[in-house]
């Protein structure tokens, strides 16, 4: 072998060794990662990177999606693995593994393990698989259990959406991957949880009726109930203090006022107003009209009548920039009601699709409202108003008092026109609010006026003109569940339909209490790039030749060129 050839081999060997060393260092350090996708789907957001730096000990993500999977779920598994690899590139404490729940042992062991997953918060999905002439049903758990020290968090990757194709549901799950995984990290590393209070004192929804959302919120917030009418007495004098009650209320970050049915006093309004002025967030879930389906179990009709004036909330709302109308929405796109013989659409239960592109409503399942009213906005300087929930394009409203007849259930859709479109029934308000008590007499204590703000610090409110949007049903149908036990929010036990109410409420609280801007990740949009089957059949043979014959031809050409080069080198 000549010196020239030896030098060439040494040069090639050194170059190869350098490339290997650089590759290993880059992979170990994770300093260079290229994302060539158009929508940058593999680029982590700054808020994700910030939260990853807070993981100081091993955090294990266990994905329960393995084995013989349909193509869509294989794609979801691949995308989850890719995102977790990106997480691990920024923090070596991120670990993950993939398991098959159906491969843990015999049938009893599999059933017990699946029950454990359901108890932890992962819901199974029934998938139909066609194998030749046979149809097989698989029960899959498209979810993750994240473990950090003694803490644990369940991540449901796939949610069922009404009138949405399975392919699009998979794509929605992929779009929300970074948000869902990062949100789990936030829950696990957070040391102090924001506080949420369900207001009491005006016949609001009882604890059992908000049990499911309270349990879900308790996983990453501190949830309690606050009776605004009950004052703490001074231990020395036995006296009560309005100022002390204001301080107690200010300990909460968010106040939920769910379907009040008794009037608010001036003191109640003052306390809530100053809570908002001090930066507190409020979720108003208000029935402006008294109407209840239970009335139809006793008679074929009942009178729905307005109650907003009785609640004494109208002027307060007007000052904040909105007005709830005392009407009832009738929508041709309505939720289903069972009369024990058949399932029919009920025009008083609007089925709200996420028409507004906003992090709170994006990719949500249809939301069920019951006897909802419309919301108008009014001028309020410094307040930005964003409609969150809108009716369909075939809607109408009826003034109250109004007789609700059971006949409407059997005459759907009827001959009456539905001329109105996209009426607002849910609203987000953000900005600086003016106090309702500005230029008014405010309460006094010990002969002195209580200090109060006339203008708020920047804060947010959400109002939905239906108090039942947050109310879960109590079990009376399923014999395997204790009678009276709270059911998942949004689940209708009489029709077996799951609506998106639970996810809506969770998104609302995440948006209001998100101090890192994590909820903005829900706005990411990935394009679903599917093959055009017509072109597949037309160009099938061309691509078979390219994939099979072309590599062989290239190998032959490379061999010939290499042989010729060696001949010239040794000549």
């Amino acid at each position: 072998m000549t010196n020239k050839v030896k030098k060439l081999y040494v040069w090639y060997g050194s170059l190869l060794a350098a490339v290997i060393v650089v590759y290993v260092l880059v992979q170990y350090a994770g300093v260079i990662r290229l994302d060539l996708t158009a929508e940058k789907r593999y680029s982590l957001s700054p808020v994700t990177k910030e939260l990853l730096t807070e993981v100081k000990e091993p955090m294990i993500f266990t994905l329960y999606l393995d084995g013989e999977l349909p193509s869509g779920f294989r794609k979801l598994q691949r995308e989850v693995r890719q995102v977790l690899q990106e997480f691990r590139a920024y923090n070596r404490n991120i670990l993950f593994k993939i398991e098959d729940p159906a491969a843990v042992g015999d049938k009893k062991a599999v059933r017990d393990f699946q029950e454990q997953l359901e108890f932890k918060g992962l819901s199974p999905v029934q998938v139909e698989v066609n194998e030749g002439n046979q149809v097989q049903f698989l029960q899959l758990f498209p979810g993750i259990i994240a473990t950090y020290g003694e803490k644990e968090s369940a991540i449901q990757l796939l949610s069922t959406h009404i009138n949405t194709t399975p392919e699009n549901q998979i794509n929605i799950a992929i779009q929300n991957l970074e948000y869902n995984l990062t949100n789990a990290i936030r829950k696990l590393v957070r040391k102090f949880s924001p506080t949420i209070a369900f207001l009491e004192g005006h016949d609001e929804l009882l604890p059992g009726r908000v049990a499911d959302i309270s349990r879900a919120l308790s996983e990453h917030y501190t949830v309690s109930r606050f009776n605004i009418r009950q004052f703490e007495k001074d231990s020395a004098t036995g006296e009560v203090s309005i100022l002390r009650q204001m301080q107690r209320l200010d300990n909460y970050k968010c106040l939920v006022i769910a379907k009040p049915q008794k009037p608010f006093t001036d003191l109640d309004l003052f306390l809530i107003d100053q809570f908002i002025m001090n930066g507190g967030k409020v979720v108003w879930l208000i029935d402006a009209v008294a109407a209840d389906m239970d009335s139809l179990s006793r008679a074929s009709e009942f009178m729905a009548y307005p109650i907003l004036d009785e609640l004494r909330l109208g002027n307060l709302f007007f000052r904040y920039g909105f007005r709830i109308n005392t009407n009832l929405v009738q929508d041709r796109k309505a939720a289903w009601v069972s009369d024990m013989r058949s399932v029919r659409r009920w025009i008083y239960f609007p089925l709200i699709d996420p028409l507004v592109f906003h992090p709170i409503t994006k990719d949500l399942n249809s939301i069920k409202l019951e006897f909802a009213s419309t919301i108008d906005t009014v001028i309020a300087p410094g307040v930005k108003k964003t409609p969150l929930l809108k009716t369909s394009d075939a809607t109408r409203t009826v003034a109250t008092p109004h007789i609700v007849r059971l006949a409407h259930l059997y005459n759907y859709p009827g001959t009456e026109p539905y001329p109105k479109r996209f009426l607002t029934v849910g609203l987000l308000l953000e900005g600086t609010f003016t106090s309702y008590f500005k230029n008014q007499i405010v309460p006094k204590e010990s002969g002195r006026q209580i200090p109060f703000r006339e203008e708020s610090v920047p804060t947010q409110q959400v109002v939905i003109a239906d108090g039942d949007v947050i109310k879960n049903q109590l079990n009376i149908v399923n014999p395997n569940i204790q009678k009276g036990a709270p059911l998942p929010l949004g689940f209708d036990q009489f029709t077996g339909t799951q609506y998106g109410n639970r996810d809506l409420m969770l998104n609302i609280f995440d948006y209001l209490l998100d101090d890192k801007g994590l909820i903005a990740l829900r706005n990411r949009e990935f394009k679903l790039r599917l093959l055009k089957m017509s072109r597949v059949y037309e160009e099938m043979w061309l691509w078979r030749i390219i994939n099979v014959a072309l590599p062989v031809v290239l190998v032959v050409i490379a061999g010939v060129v290499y042989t010729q080069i060696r001949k010239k080198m040794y000549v």
Side-chain angles (χ1 to χ4, degrees):
M1 186 180 295
T2 63
N3 290 334
K4 182 179 179 181
V5 174
K6 289 181 179 180
K7 290 180 180 180
L8 192 61
Y9 275 119
V10 170
W11 189 84
Y12 278 130
S14 301
L15 179 62
L16 180 61
V19 168
I20 293 174
V21 170
V22 170
Y23 175 79
V24 171
L25 290 175
V26 167
Q27 289 298 309
Y28 180 77
V31 293
I32 301 176
R33 302 183 70 82
L34 299 179
D35 183 359
L36 303 180
T37 58
E39 60 268 30
K40 298 299 178 184
R41 68 166 62 192
Y42 302 118
S43 297
L44 301 182
S45 66
V47 64
T48 299
K49 296 175 183 178
E50 180 185 348
L51 280 168
L52 285 171
T53 61
E54 298 181 22
V55 180
K56 303 301 184 182
E57 56 184 272
M59 180 180 291
I60 303 172
F61 292 84
T62 305
L63 172 63
Y64 294 99
L65 197 60
D66 203 6
E68 296 294 328
L69 300 173
S71 59
F73 287 90
R74 287 200 301 271
K75 178 182 178 183
L76 178 60
Q77 182 203 70
R78 185 171 61 249
E79 294 289 341
V80 172
R81 183 189 291 112
Q82 179 68 43
V83 174
L84 290 175
Q85 286 174 346
E86 290 295 316
F87 283 12
R88 182 165 171 75
Y90 281 92
N91 190 329
R92 307 302 287 184
N93 283 322
I94 300 296
L95 307 171
F96 68 93
K97 55 184 178 179
I98 302 174
E99 295 184 1
D100 181 5
V104 296
D106 57 18
K107 290 184 178 181
K108 184 180 183 305
V110 170
R111 186 168 59 252
D112 292 342
F113 186 67
Q114 291 177 345
E115 288 178 356
Q116 291 178 20
L117 293 180
E118 291 190 61
F119 179 77
K120 290 181 178 181
L122 296 186
S123 300
V125 174
Q126 295 287 343
V127 181
E128 181 179 318
V129 180
N130 295 314
E131 295 183 354
N133 296 327
Q134 295 183 342
V135 177
Q136 183 180 5
F137 291 93
L138 299 178
Q139 181 167 271
L140 303 178
F141 284 82
I144 296 173
I145 299 295
T147 306
Y148 187 62
E150 296 181 354
K151 295 182 179 180
E152 205 171 66
S153 179
I155 309 168
Q156 186 71 29
L157 300 177
L158 191 68
S159 300
T160 303
H161 290 68
I162 299 172
N163 300 325
T164 302
T165 63
E167 292 82 3
N168 200 38
Q169 291 182 27
I170 293 287
N171 194 55
I172 290 172
I174 292 172
Q175 286 182 159
N176 293 324
L177 266 181
E178 184 180 350
Y179 169 75
N180 287 329
L181 295 173
T182 306
N183 196 29
I185 294 176
R186 182 185 63 161
K187 297 175 190 176
L188 293 172
V189 302
R190 176 185 282 163
K191 296 179 181 178
F192 303 101
S193 302
T195 51
I196 299 172
F198 283 81
L199 192 73
E200 292 181 334
H202 315 91
D203 274 2
E204 289 86 357
L205 291 175
L206 295 173
R209 287 297 192 173
V210 293
D212 183 66
I213 191 64
S214 298
R215 184 196 61 77
L217 290 171
S218 297
E219 294 180 3
H220 37 105
Y221 300 106
T222 300
V223 181
S224 61
R225 300 184 71 85
F226 182 86
N227 193 319
I228 203 169
R229 300 280 179 88
Q230 293 180 355
F231 287 70
E232 286 186 349
K233 293 183 178 181
D234 186 275
S235 57
T237 64
E239 297 178 351
V240 297
S241 167
I242 297 174
L243 191 59
R244 173 58 183 156
Q245 189 77 333
M246 292 172 62
Q247 294 170 349
R248 290 179 61 208
L249 196 55
D250 285 341
N251 288 330
Y252 299 100
K253 295 294 184 183
C254 184
L255 197 61
V256 186
I257 304 176
K259 199 176 180 178
Q261 299 176 65
K262 286 188 176 180
F264 285 71
T265 65
D266 287 338
L267 181 55
D268 295 337
L269 297 178
F270 178 78
L271 292 171
I272 295 171
D273 176 83
Q274 289 304 292
F275 173 76
I276 295 171
M277 296 305 110
N278 291 327
K281 317 292 178 71
V282 178
V283 179
W284 300 94
L285 309 172
I286 304 298
D287 274 359
V289 175
D292 197 329
M293 280 295 288
D294 289 342
S295 300
L296 290 179
S297 64
R298 299 184 291 269
S300 61
E301 62 183 34
F302 68 88
M303 179 69 74
Y305 56 92
I307 60 171
L308 189 63
D309 289 342
E310 294 179 16
L311 295 176
R312 303 183 70 242
L313 291 173
N315 293 334
L316 183 80
F317 292 164
F318 196 87
R319 177 61 64 91
Y320 293 157
F322 67 94
R323 177 178 60 230
I324 300 180
N325 300 307
T326 53
N327 57 17
L328 285 179
V329 171
Q330 294 180 342
D331 201 321
R332 289 191 65 172
K333 185 165 187 178
W336 297 271
V337 171
S338 172
D339 64 355
M340 302 304 176
R341 292 173 298 181
S342 60
V343 175
R344 300 172 182 270
R345 287 189 184 270
W346 181 232
I347 57 175
Y348 293 99
F349 286 5
L351 197 58
I352 308 299
D353 286 332
L355 302 175
V356 181
F357 187 80
H358 191 274
I360 290 177
T361 56
K362 181 176 177 290
D363 295 332
L364 282 184
N365 194 5
S366 298
I367 298 145
K368 177 187 176 184
L369 302 184
E370 300 181 8
F371 298 110
S373 303
T374 59
I375 302 173
D376 292 334
T377 59
V378 296
I379 295 175
V383 179
K384 176 186 176 184
K385 301 128 187 167
T386 304
L388 292 179
L389 304 178
K390 290 187 175 185
T391 62
S392 75
D393 58 356
T395 308
R396 65 181 182 182
T397 58
V398 293
T400 56
H402 168 76
I403 297 177
V404 177
R405 292 185 172 91
L406 192 60
H408 286 114
L409 185 64
Y410 300 101
N411 293 334
Y412 174 85
T415 58
E416 303 90 345
Y418 291 77
K420 298 183 178 180
R421 299 160 51 89
F422 310 127
L423 302 178
T424 299
V425 291
L427 187 68
L428 168 68
L429 301 105
E430 301 174 282
T432 303
F433 297 88
T434 301
S435 171
Y436 173 63
F437 288 87
K438 184 178 181 179
N439 301 323
Q440 293 190 38
I441 297 175
V442 299
K444 293 183 178 181
E445 191 167 88
S446 301
R448 292 179 297 178
Q449 180 177 299
I450 295 175
F452 81 105
R453 289 179 178 266
E454 293 186 350
E455 215 172 66
S456 78
V457 298
T459 187
Q460 301 157 311
Q461 300 184 58
V462 170
V463 54
I464 299 177
D466 174 29
D468 295 314
V469 67
I470 199 173
K471 184 176 76 173
N472 56 252
Q473 293 183 358
L474 303 179
N475 178 57
I476 60 174
V477 172
N478 191 339
N480 298 319
I481 303 176
Q482 182 182 356
K483 191 173 183 179
L487 296 175
L489 175 58
F491 178 72
D492 184 355
Q493 62 185 321
F494 304 107
T495 63
T497 307
Q498 177 68 56
Y499 299 100
N501 297 44
R502 189 174 191 264
D503 290 334
L504 169 69
M505 298 312 303
L506 290 175
N507 288 350
I508 286 173
F509 290 108
D510 283 346
Y511 184 85
L512 296 180
L513 301 174
D514 180 15
D515 58 346
K516 293 183 177 293
L518 178 62
I519 192 72
L521 291 179
R522 286 181 49 80
N523 273 344
R524 299 188 71 176
E525 196 75 47
F526 296 157
K527 295 180 180 179
L528 188 63
R529 296 178 174 87
L530 302 177
L531 293 176
K532 294 182 179 179
M533 297 311 298
S534 58
R535 286 192 61 186
V536 169
Y537 291 121
E538 289 175 3
E539 303 175 8
M540 179 171 57
W541 285 104
L542 171 63
W543 292 106
R544 282 181 177 177
I545 292 172
I546 291 176
N547 287 319
V548 176
L550 185 59
V552 176
V553 172
L554 292 177
V555 170
V556 172
I557 293 174
V560 172
V561 171
Y562 177 74
T563 302
Q564 294 300 320
I565 292 175
R566 283 183 59 85
K567 286 182 179 180
K568 289 183 179 181
M569 290 175 60
Y570 285 97
V571 171

